[in-house]
Amino acid sequence: MSEAATPPGSVPGTVFPPGFDPTAESVEKTLCFRGFWAWFVLILLIALGISLFMWLLRKCIQGPAYRKANRIDGKVVIVTGCNTGIGKETVLELAKRGARVYMACRDPGRCEAARLDIMDRSRNQQLFNRTLDLGSLQSVRSFVERFKAEESRLDILINNAGIMACPRTLTADGYEQQFGVNHLGHFLLTNLLLDRLKHSSPSRIVVVSSAAHLFGRINREDLMSEKNYGKFFGAYSQSKLANILFTRKLSTILKDTGVTVNCCHPGVVRTELNRHFAGPGWMKSVLQTGSLYFFKTPKAGAQTSLRLALDPQLEHSTGGYYSDCMRFPLVPWARNMQNADWLWRESEKLVGLPPLEPPPAGQNPTQNGNGTQNGAASGNGNGNGSANPVSREMQSVETVVVNRS
Ligand SMILES: NC(=O)C1=CN([C@@H]2O[C@H](COP(=O)(O)OP(=O)(O)OC[C@H]3O[C@@H](n4cnc5c(N)ncnc54)[C@H](OP(=O)(O)O)[C@@H]3O)[C@@H](O)[C@H]2O)C=CC1
Ligand SMILES: CC1=C(/C=C/C(C)=C/C=C/C(C)=C/C=O)C(C)(C)CCC1
């Protein structure tokens, strides 16, 4: 038997099996990554993959932006709670599009700082600093009175202001703070402005609610959370559910008037809404760091409000709930019209507005739904010495022109 041939370059005497080509193998080996470079490339590829994934995830978290370029030159807009957060970004965008914006804030100093900043960035001088404390029905009335003296029209009202998970405190009128500010203050404000909105139709109301409404229930027996106060899952989520029921009821009241009303969840947004967070410092730090990546920016959080306020395609859409600029169906308890009716009547009494509709048969018009007399929740201790704040409001209703036709 003859031995296999020894190819040139191989160690003399080495025996190779038939068909084996050692030159080809050495070429192959030089093409292969090994050692440091192999690891370097592998790690680089993994890092690139992770970065791409994180970039896509962040894009998804930020959600879609309102991209239509329509302008609203000269349109009159009110935005509540807009010295910071989502409200400030909303005003900035509206100002860039030429709106005349009334910035309705509780702290005139903070409002002025925001107004100057927005004027600078938008080159729009038509921004006005107006004081509105939604935790005081008197402040709401004063704001409306001044606004009506200044403007004969109102094209867009954005009920944005909000307070979350604070310790149990009361509004100036003795109502639980979150229900009072997030729902009742806006309820009165909107009702007092309806005549201007109707006069300016087509016009729009945007209500900034929250996905927290999913945890909410309207607690007819304890609307002011006197017996049981849960900061987030009780009072805040109830107030945000109230925002939605208010939107639903108002959309039926405003049918065929040319005034639309929609509500939204802005997403989880990195703002000052957490200011009452009382958890441990380490948790705050973790959230602070995580939120840089996993929360929306205030600008991204403003996009759904902006679409509801601006999109010509939504001119006739009303009564809807939106998130990430899209309409979403509501859970049954957020479209329960019996609850919406009850809450509407109850809110009328609590803010001292005359009833829009007659009370249901068998109910004393001076009684609220849980059988107690009208007025702040009993024993409210409102701290301003007023014995019956709502009856005082009832009186002052007569002094404010309430055109609800
Ligand atoms: N951030 C989030 O993840 C989410 C926010 N939302 C909703 O978005 C809205 C905007 O919140 P966001 O921007 O995040 O929060 P911020 O706390 O950053 O802004 C809230 C605004 O509301 C104002 N405000 C609070 N209380 C009153 C009051 N009594 N009268 C008038 N204005 C008041 C604040 O004024 P001041 O600075 O003077 O206190 C501030 O301007 C709220 O309705 C909130 O419930 C909903 C879901 C998630
Ligand atoms: C505590 C804390 C934060 C977390 C805020 C959270 C968790 C907000 C959630 C808001 C929701 C869910 C609102 C719904 O309406 C921040 C901003 C990261 C800053 C650092 C401290």
mmCIF file of all heavy atoms in Angstrom, residues 111-151:
data_model
loop_
_atom_site.group_PDB
_atom_site.id
_atom_site.type_symbol
_atom_site.label_atom_id
_atom_site.label_comp_id
_atom_site.label_asym_id
_atom_site.label_seq_id
_atom_site.Cartn_x
_atom_site.Cartn_y
_atom_site.Cartn_z
ATOM 1 N N CYS A 111 -46.311 80.669 38.108
ATOM 2 C CA CYS A 111 -46.986 80.830 36.818
ATOM 3 C C CYS A 111 -46.208 81.835 35.957
ATOM 4 O O CYS A 111 -45.983 81.607 34.768
ATOM 5 C CB CYS A 111 -48.412 81.309 37.045
ATOM 6 S SG CYS A 111 -49.385 81.327 35.545
ATOM 7 N N GLU A 112 -45.759 82.916 36.599
ATOM 8 C CA GLU A 112 -45.049 83.946 35.853
ATOM 9 C C GLU A 112 -43.727 83.398 35.305
ATOM 10 O O GLU A 112 -43.368 83.683 34.155
ATOM 11 C CB GLU A 112 -44.804 85.165 36.768
ATOM 12 C CG GLU A 112 -44.289 86.396 36.068
ATOM 13 C CD GLU A 112 -45.193 86.898 34.927
ATOM 14 O OE1 GLU A 112 -46.351 86.478 34.823
ATOM 15 O OE2 GLU A 112 -44.694 87.712 34.125
ATOM 16 N N ALA A 113 -43.038 82.615 36.119
ATOM 17 C CA ALA A 113 -41.769 82.038 35.661
ATOM 18 C C ALA A 113 -42.012 81.160 34.429
ATOM 19 O O ALA A 113 -41.281 81.234 33.435
ATOM 20 C CB ALA A 113 -41.134 81.220 36.785
ATOM 21 N N ALA A 114 -43.089 80.365 34.481
ATOM 22 C CA ALA A 114 -43.398 79.482 33.338
ATOM 23 C C ALA A 114 -43.806 80.306 32.129
ATOM 24 O O ALA A 114 -43.408 80.026 31.001
ATOM 25 C CB ALA A 114 -44.515 78.515 33.728
ATOM 26 N N ARG A 115 -44.588 81.347 32.382
ATOM 27 C CA ARG A 115 -45.084 82.184 31.273
ATOM 28 C C ARG A 115 -43.905 82.834 30.532
ATOM 29 O O ARG A 115 -43.846 82.817 29.299
ATOM 30 C CB ARG A 115 -46.021 83.264 31.835
ATOM 31 C CG ARG A 115 -46.753 84.068 30.775
ATOM 32 C CD ARG A 115 -47.670 85.088 31.440
ATOM 33 N NE ARG A 115 -46.935 86.245 31.892
ATOM 34 C CZ ARG A 115 -46.757 87.359 31.197
ATOM 35 N NH1 ARG A 115 -47.301 87.485 30.010
ATOM 36 N NH2 ARG A 115 -46.060 88.363 31.685
ATOM 37 N N LEU A 116 -42.938 83.380 31.307
ATOM 38 C CA LEU A 116 -41.787 84.044 30.674
ATOM 39 C C LEU A 116 -40.978 83.037 29.862
ATOM 40 O O LEU A 116 -40.549 83.324 28.739
ATOM 41 C CB LEU A 116 -40.909 84.711 31.745
ATOM 42 C CG LEU A 116 -41.579 85.884 32.486
ATOM 43 C CD1 LEU A 116 -40.669 86.428 33.572
ATOM 44 C CD2 LEU A 116 -41.972 86.995 31.508
ATOM 45 N N ASP A 117 -40.810 81.860 30.430
ATOM 46 C CA ASP A 117 -40.049 80.815 29.735
ATOM 47 C C ASP A 117 -40.754 80.416 28.420
ATOM 48 O O ASP A 117 -40.133 80.321 27.364
ATOM 49 C CB ASP A 117 -39.917 79.602 30.681
ATOM 50 C CG ASP A 117 -39.118 78.479 30.050
ATOM 51 O OD1 ASP A 117 -38.165 78.793 29.316
ATOM 52 O OD2 ASP A 117 -39.457 77.295 30.275
ATOM 53 N N ILE A 118 -42.082 80.242 28.503
ATOM 54 C CA ILE A 118 -42.827 79.818 27.305
ATOM 55 C C ILE A 118 -42.841 80.947 26.259
ATOM 56 O O ILE A 118 -42.704 80.688 25.055
ATOM 57 C CB ILE A 118 -44.263 79.379 27.683
ATOM 58 C CG1 ILE A 118 -44.216 78.153 28.596
ATOM 59 C CG2 ILE A 118 -45.084 79.069 26.436
ATOM 60 C CD1 ILE A 118 -45.552 77.766 29.199
ATOM 61 N N MET A 119 -42.969 82.180 26.734
ATOM 62 C CA MET A 119 -42.963 83.311 25.782
ATOM 63 C C MET A 119 -41.653 83.346 25.024
ATOM 64 O O MET A 119 -41.617 83.571 23.818
ATOM 65 C CB MET A 119 -43.165 84.629 26.535
ATOM 66 C CG MET A 119 -44.622 84.908 26.758
ATOM 67 S SD MET A 119 -45.100 86.589 27.147
ATOM 68 C CE MET A 119 -43.832 87.270 28.078
ATOM 69 N N ASP A 120 -40.587 83.086 25.772
ATOM 70 C CA ASP A 120 -39.252 83.078 25.183
ATOM 71 C C ASP A 120 -39.113 81.989 24.119
ATOM 72 O O ASP A 120 -38.581 82.233 23.040
ATOM 73 C CB ASP A 120 -38.276 82.770 26.331
ATOM 74 C CG ASP A 120 -37.056 83.622 26.265
ATOM 75 O OD1 ASP A 120 -37.198 84.783 25.856
ATOM 76 O OD2 ASP A 120 -35.965 83.108 26.619
ATOM 77 N N ARG A 121 -39.617 80.821 24.449
ATOM 78 C CA ARG A 121 -39.414 79.677 23.552
ATOM 79 C C ARG A 121 -40.392 79.642 22.386
ATOM 80 O O ARG A 121 -40.125 79.036 21.363
ATOM 81 C CB ARG A 121 -39.516 78.375 24.361
ATOM 82 C CG ARG A 121 -38.317 78.209 25.283
ATOM 83 C CD ARG A 121 -38.606 77.279 26.432
ATOM 84 N NE ARG A 121 -38.706 75.900 26.010
ATOM 85 C CZ ARG A 121 -39.136 74.916 26.794
ATOM 86 N NH1 ARG A 121 -39.510 75.173 28.025
ATOM 87 N NH2 ARG A 121 -39.193 73.690 26.350
ATOM 88 N N SER A 122 -41.563 80.260 22.571
ATOM 89 C CA SER A 122 -42.580 80.161 21.516
ATOM 90 C C SER A 122 -42.671 81.437 20.679
ATOM 91 O O SER A 122 -43.302 81.446 19.637
ATOM 92 C CB SER A 122 -43.949 79.893 22.143
ATOM 93 O OG SER A 122 -44.342 81.007 22.928
ATOM 94 N N ARG A 123 -42.056 82.511 21.197
ATOM 95 C CA ARG A 123 -42.161 83.824 20.523
ATOM 96 C C ARG A 123 -43.613 84.281 20.437
ATOM 97 O O ARG A 123 -44.000 84.963 19.510
ATOM 98 C CB ARG A 123 -41.555 83.789 19.111
ATOM 99 C CG ARG A 123 -40.157 83.301 19.069
ATOM 100 C CD ARG A 123 -39.168 84.472 19.112
ATOM 101 N NE ARG A 123 -37.924 84.059 19.747
ATOM 102 C CZ ARG A 123 -37.278 84.773 20.649
ATOM 103 N NH1 ARG A 123 -37.744 85.908 21.070
ATOM 104 N NH2 ARG A 123 -36.145 84.366 21.170
ATOM 105 N N ASN A 124 -44.435 83.835 21.385
ATOM 106 C CA ASN A 124 -45.846 84.238 21.422
ATOM 107 C C ASN A 124 -46.035 85.119 22.667
ATOM 108 O O ASN A 124 -45.724 84.695 23.784
ATOM 109 C CB ASN A 124 -46.733 82.980 21.498
ATOM 110 C CG ASN A 124 -48.221 83.305 21.517
ATOM 111 O OD1 ASN A 124 -48.613 84.429 21.837
ATOM 112 N ND2 ASN A 124 -49.048 82.321 21.193
ATOM 113 N N GLN A 125 -46.528 86.322 22.470
ATOM 114 C CA GLN A 125 -46.720 87.248 23.596
ATOM 115 C C GLN A 125 -48.119 87.117 24.201
ATOM 116 O O GLN A 125 -48.408 87.728 25.216
ATOM 117 C CB GLN A 125 -46.556 88.703 23.108
ATOM 118 C CG GLN A 125 -45.224 88.997 22.435
ATOM 119 C CD GLN A 125 -44.070 88.989 23.419
ATOM 120 O OE1 GLN A 125 -44.127 89.649 24.447
ATOM 121 N NE2 GLN A 125 -43.038 88.213 23.121
ATOM 122 N N GLN A 126 -48.976 86.337 23.570
ATOM 123 C CA GLN A 126 -50.382 86.261 23.991
ATOM 124 C C GLN A 126 -50.592 85.220 25.092
ATOM 125 O O GLN A 126 -51.419 84.308 24.953
ATOM 126 C CB GLN A 126 -51.263 85.899 22.787
ATOM 127 C CG GLN A 126 -51.129 86.838 21.614
ATOM 128 C CD GLN A 126 -51.889 88.131 21.859
ATOM 129 O OE1 GLN A 126 -53.097 88.125 22.018
ATOM 130 N NE2 GLN A 126 -51.161 89.229 21.914
ATOM 131 N N LEU A 127 -49.835 85.343 26.150
ATOM 132 C CA LEU A 127 -49.960 84.406 27.275
ATOM 133 C C LEU A 127 -50.273 85.222 28.518
ATOM 134 O O LEU A 127 -49.633 86.243 28.765
ATOM 135 C CB LEU A 127 -48.653 83.645 27.494
ATOM 136 C CG LEU A 127 -48.116 82.821 26.329
ATOM 137 C CD1 LEU A 127 -46.803 82.170 26.710
ATOM 138 C CD2 LEU A 127 -49.116 81.740 25.941
ATOM 139 N N PHE A 128 -51.246 84.752 29.305
ATOM 140 C CA PHE A 128 -51.697 85.551 30.441
ATOM 141 C C PHE A 128 -51.642 84.734 31.726
ATOM 142 O O PHE A 128 -52.099 83.594 31.761
ATOM 143 C CB PHE A 128 -53.114 86.070 30.179
ATOM 144 C CG PHE A 128 -53.219 86.749 28.839
ATOM 145 C CD1 PHE A 128 -53.734 86.066 27.740
ATOM 146 C CD2 PHE A 128 -52.742 88.039 28.669
ATOM 147 C CE1 PHE A 128 -53.788 86.671 26.487
ATOM 148 C CE2 PHE A 128 -52.792 88.651 27.420
ATOM 149 C CZ PHE A 128 -53.320 87.966 26.323
ATOM 150 N N ASN A 129 -51.099 85.359 32.749
ATOM 151 C CA ASN A 129 -50.946 84.733 34.059
ATOM 152 C C ASN A 129 -52.204 85.031 34.887
ATOM 153 O O ASN A 129 -52.459 86.183 35.229
ATOM 154 C CB ASN A 129 -49.686 85.335 34.704
ATOM 155 C CG ASN A 129 -49.473 84.899 36.136
ATOM 156 O OD1 ASN A 129 -50.363 84.319 36.765
ATOM 157 N ND2 ASN A 129 -48.302 85.201 36.669
ATOM 158 N N ARG A 130 -52.988 84.023 35.181
ATOM 159 C CA ARG A 130 -54.222 84.232 35.953
ATOM 160 C C ARG A 130 -54.258 83.269 37.139
ATOM 161 O O ARG A 130 -53.893 82.103 37.003
ATOM 162 C CB ARG A 130 -55.460 83.995 35.078
ATOM 163 C CG ARG A 130 -55.616 84.989 33.954
ATOM 164 C CD ARG A 130 -55.960 86.386 34.488
ATOM 165 N NE ARG A 130 -56.025 87.367 33.415
ATOM 166 C CZ ARG A 130 -55.005 88.122 32.997
ATOM 167 N NH1 ARG A 130 -53.813 88.009 33.567
ATOM 168 N NH2 ARG A 130 -55.157 88.994 32.011
ATOM 169 N N THR A 131 -54.753 83.773 38.252
ATOM 170 C CA THR A 131 -54.752 82.943 39.457
ATOM 171 C C THR A 131 -56.025 82.121 39.568
ATOM 172 O O THR A 131 -57.127 82.656 39.447
ATOM 173 C CB THR A 131 -54.568 83.836 40.703
ATOM 174 O OG1 THR A 131 -53.360 84.571 40.535
ATOM 175 C CG2 THR A 131 -54.484 83.003 41.974
ATOM 176 N N LEU A 132 -55.825 80.834 39.765
ATOM 177 C CA LEU A 132 -56.958 79.916 39.957
ATOM 178 C C LEU A 132 -56.527 78.842 40.940
ATOM 179 O O LEU A 132 -55.628 78.048 40.662
ATOM 180 C CB LEU A 132 -57.346 79.262 38.621
ATOM 181 C CG LEU A 132 -58.305 78.069 38.732
ATOM 182 C CD1 LEU A 132 -59.688 78.525 39.185
ATOM 183 C CD2 LEU A 132 -58.416 77.329 37.407
ATOM 184 N N ASP A 133 -57.188 78.822 42.105
ATOM 185 C CA ASP A 133 -56.964 77.729 43.047
ATOM 186 C C ASP A 133 -58.198 76.844 42.999
ATOM 187 O O ASP A 133 -59.272 77.232 43.478
ATOM 188 C CB ASP A 133 -56.729 78.281 44.462
ATOM 189 C CG ASP A 133 -56.498 77.160 45.473
ATOM 190 O OD1 ASP A 133 -56.629 75.974 45.092
ATOM 191 O OD2 ASP A 133 -56.198 77.464 46.638
ATOM 192 N N LEU A 134 -58.022 75.661 42.439
ATOM 193 C CA LEU A 134 -59.177 74.770 42.273
ATOM 194 C C LEU A 134 -59.660 74.209 43.609
ATOM 195 O O LEU A 134 -60.728 73.598 43.672
ATOM 196 C CB LEU A 134 -58.829 73.630 41.312
ATOM 197 C CG LEU A 134 -58.684 74.113 39.864
ATOM 198 C CD1 LEU A 134 -57.764 73.203 39.082
ATOM 199 C CD2 LEU A 134 -60.044 74.202 39.173
ATOM 200 N N GLY A 135 -58.884 74.427 44.635
ATOM 201 C CA GLY A 135 -59.291 73.993 45.968
ATOM 202 C C GLY A 135 -60.104 75.050 46.691
ATOM 203 O O GLY A 135 -60.339 74.934 47.893
ATOM 204 N N SER A 136 -60.533 76.062 45.962
ATOM 205 C CA SER A 136 -61.386 77.093 46.552
ATOM 206 C C SER A 136 -62.452 77.478 45.534
ATOM 207 O O SER A 136 -62.137 78.011 44.458
ATOM 208 C CB SER A 136 -60.530 78.318 46.923
ATOM 209 O OG SER A 136 -61.347 79.474 46.960
ATOM 210 N N LEU A 137 -63.689 77.223 45.872
ATOM 211 C CA LEU A 137 -64.777 77.521 44.925
ATOM 212 C C LEU A 137 -64.841 79.020 44.668
ATOM 213 O O LEU A 137 -65.177 79.458 43.567
ATOM 214 C CB LEU A 137 -66.105 76.988 45.476
ATOM 215 C CG LEU A 137 -66.140 75.460 45.694
ATOM 216 C CD1 LEU A 137 -67.453 75.032 46.331
ATOM 217 C CD2 LEU A 137 -65.912 74.704 44.394
ATOM 218 N N GLN A 138 -64.494 79.797 45.695
ATOM 219 C CA GLN A 138 -64.503 81.251 45.507
ATOM 220 C C GLN A 138 -63.453 81.668 44.493
ATOM 221 O O GLN A 138 -63.685 82.536 43.648
ATOM 222 C CB GLN A 138 -64.282 81.947 46.862
ATOM 223 C CG GLN A 138 -64.509 83.447 46.837
ATOM 224 C CD GLN A 138 -65.836 83.834 46.149
ATOM 225 O OE1 GLN A 138 -66.901 83.354 46.529
ATOM 226 N NE2 GLN A 138 -65.759 84.670 45.118
ATOM 227 N N SER A 139 -62.291 81.012 44.540
ATOM 228 C CA SER A 139 -61.221 81.332 43.592
ATOM 229 C C SER A 139 -61.667 80.967 42.166
ATOM 230 O O SER A 139 -61.379 81.693 41.213
ATOM 231 C CB SER A 139 -59.955 80.563 43.972
ATOM 232 O OG SER A 139 -58.995 80.670 42.966
ATOM 233 N N VAL A 140 -62.390 79.858 42.035
ATOM 234 C CA VAL A 140 -62.883 79.451 40.707
ATOM 235 C C VAL A 140 -63.831 80.527 40.175
ATOM 236 O O VAL A 140 -63.734 80.964 39.023
ATOM 237 C CB VAL A 140 -63.599 78.084 40.777
ATOM 238 C CG1 VAL A 140 -64.210 77.729 39.428
ATOM 239 C CG2 VAL A 140 -62.642 76.992 41.233
ATOM 240 N N ARG A 141 -64.723 80.980 41.040
ATOM 241 C CA ARG A 141 -65.698 82.006 40.615
ATOM 242 C C ARG A 141 -64.994 83.308 40.244
ATOM 243 O O ARG A 141 -65.333 83.941 39.246
ATOM 244 C CB ARG A 141 -66.703 82.253 41.735
ATOM 245 C CG ARG A 141 -67.637 81.085 41.939
ATOM 246 C CD ARG A 141 -68.521 81.300 43.152
ATOM 247 N NE ARG A 141 -69.227 80.063 43.467
ATOM 248 C CZ ARG A 141 -70.258 79.609 42.803
ATOM 249 N NH1 ARG A 141 -70.727 80.297 41.789
ATOM 250 N NH2 ARG A 141 -70.834 78.465 43.115
ATOM 251 N N SER A 142 -64.006 83.698 41.044
ATOM 252 C CA SER A 142 -63.287 84.955 40.752
ATOM 253 C C SER A 142 -62.548 84.837 39.421
ATOM 254 O O SER A 142 -62.541 85.776 38.620
ATOM 255 C CB SER A 142 -62.258 85.262 41.839
ATOM 256 O OG SER A 142 -62.887 85.273 43.076
ATOM 257 N N PHE A 143 -61.935 83.680 39.211
ATOM 258 C CA PHE A 143 -61.206 83.476 37.954
ATOM 259 C C PHE A 143 -62.153 83.639 36.762
ATOM 260 O O PHE A 143 -61.860 84.338 35.792
ATOM 261 C CB PHE A 143 -60.555 82.083 37.940
ATOM 262 C CG PHE A 143 -60.014 81.694 36.589
ATOM 263 C CD1 PHE A 143 -58.739 82.098 36.192
ATOM 264 C CD2 PHE A 143 -60.788 80.961 35.689
ATOM 265 C CE1 PHE A 143 -58.255 81.769 34.928
ATOM 266 C CE2 PHE A 143 -60.311 80.633 34.426
ATOM 267 C CZ PHE A 143 -59.038 81.038 34.052
ATOM 268 N N VAL A 144 -63.325 82.978 36.863
ATOM 269 C CA VAL A 144 -64.284 83.003 35.748
ATOM 270 C C VAL A 144 -64.799 84.429 35.531
ATOM 271 O O VAL A 144 -64.902 84.898 34.386
ATOM 272 C CB VAL A 144 -65.451 82.021 36.006
ATOM 273 C CG1 VAL A 144 -66.539 82.189 34.951
ATOM 274 C CG2 VAL A 144 -64.937 80.589 36.018
ATOM 275 N N GLU A 145 -65.074 85.092 36.633
ATOM 276 C CA GLU A 145 -65.587 86.465 36.528
ATOM 277 C C GLU A 145 -64.597 87.343 35.763
ATOM 278 O O GLU A 145 -64.962 88.065 34.833
ATOM 279 C CB GLU A 145 -65.788 87.015 37.948
ATOM 280 C CG GLU A 145 -67.027 87.869 38.064
ATOM 281 C CD GLU A 145 -67.383 88.127 39.528
ATOM 282 O OE1 GLU A 145 -66.901 87.409 40.432
ATOM 283 O OE2 GLU A 145 -68.141 89.065 39.757
ATOM 284 N N ARG A 146 -63.329 87.248 36.142
ATOM 285 C CA ARG A 146 -62.305 88.074 35.485
ATOM 286 C C ARG A 146 -62.149 87.656 34.018
ATOM 287 O O ARG A 146 -62.068 88.507 33.129
ATOM 288 C CB ARG A 146 -60.970 87.923 36.229
ATOM 289 C CG ARG A 146 -59.899 88.766 35.599
ATOM 290 C CD ARG A 146 -58.617 88.814 36.396
ATOM 291 N NE ARG A 146 -57.645 89.634 35.683
ATOM 292 C CZ ARG A 146 -56.378 89.717 36.006
ATOM 293 N NH1 ARG A 146 -55.917 89.063 37.043
ATOM 294 N NH2 ARG A 146 -55.554 90.464 35.300
ATOM 295 N N PHE A 147 -62.133 86.353 33.789
ATOM 296 C CA PHE A 147 -61.952 85.872 32.405
ATOM 297 C C PHE A 147 -63.083 86.381 31.519
ATOM 298 O O PHE A 147 -62.858 86.857 30.402
ATOM 299 C CB PHE A 147 -61.895 84.340 32.381
ATOM 300 C CG PHE A 147 -61.859 83.787 30.983
ATOM 301 C CD1 PHE A 147 -60.680 83.779 30.252
ATOM 302 C CD2 PHE A 147 -63.019 83.301 30.382
ATOM 303 C CE1 PHE A 147 -60.642 83.297 28.941
ATOM 304 C CE2 PHE A 147 -62.997 82.822 29.077
ATOM 305 C CZ PHE A 147 -61.806 82.820 28.359
ATOM 306 N N LYS A 148 -64.296 86.298 32.046
ATOM 307 C CA LYS A 148 -65.451 86.711 31.234
ATOM 308 C C LYS A 148 -65.440 88.209 30.949
ATOM 309 O O LYS A 148 -65.938 88.663 29.923
ATOM 310 C CB LYS A 148 -66.747 86.291 31.914
ATOM 311 C CG LYS A 148 -67.000 84.796 31.792
ATOM 312 C CD LYS A 148 -68.344 84.414 32.335
ATOM 313 C CE LYS A 148 -68.643 82.961 32.011
ATOM 314 N NZ LYS A 148 -69.931 82.536 32.557
ATOM 315 N N ALA A 149 -64.875 88.943 31.888
ATOM 316 C CA ALA A 149 -64.769 90.387 31.661
ATOM 317 C C ALA A 149 -63.735 90.678 30.576
ATOM 318 O O ALA A 149 -63.806 91.694 29.888
ATOM 319 C CB ALA A 149 -64.389 91.075 32.970
ATOM 320 N N GLU A 150 -62.769 89.755 30.429
ATOM 321 C CA GLU A 150 -61.674 90.006 29.486
ATOM 322 C C GLU A 150 -61.913 89.429 28.100
ATOM 323 O O GLU A 150 -61.424 89.963 27.105
ATOM 324 C CB GLU A 150 -60.379 89.384 30.037
ATOM 325 C CG GLU A 150 -59.837 90.100 31.248
ATOM 326 C CD GLU A 150 -58.628 89.400 31.823
ATOM 327 O OE1 GLU A 150 -58.681 88.175 32.058
ATOM 328 O OE2 GLU A 150 -57.612 90.059 32.038
ATOM 329 N N GLU A 151 -62.623 88.313 28.019
ATOM 330 C CA GLU A 151 -62.756 87.599 26.747
ATOM 331 C C GLU A 151 -64.216 87.266 26.476
ATOM 332 O O GLU A 151 -64.936 86.816 27.368
ATOM 333 C CB GLU A 151 -61.982 86.269 26.795
ATOM 334 C CG GLU A 151 -60.482 86.405 26.800
ATOM 335 C CD GLU A 151 -59.894 86.820 25.460
ATOM 336 O OE1 GLU A 151 -60.608 86.779 24.427
ATOM 337 O OE2 GLU A 151 -58.713 87.206 25.449
#
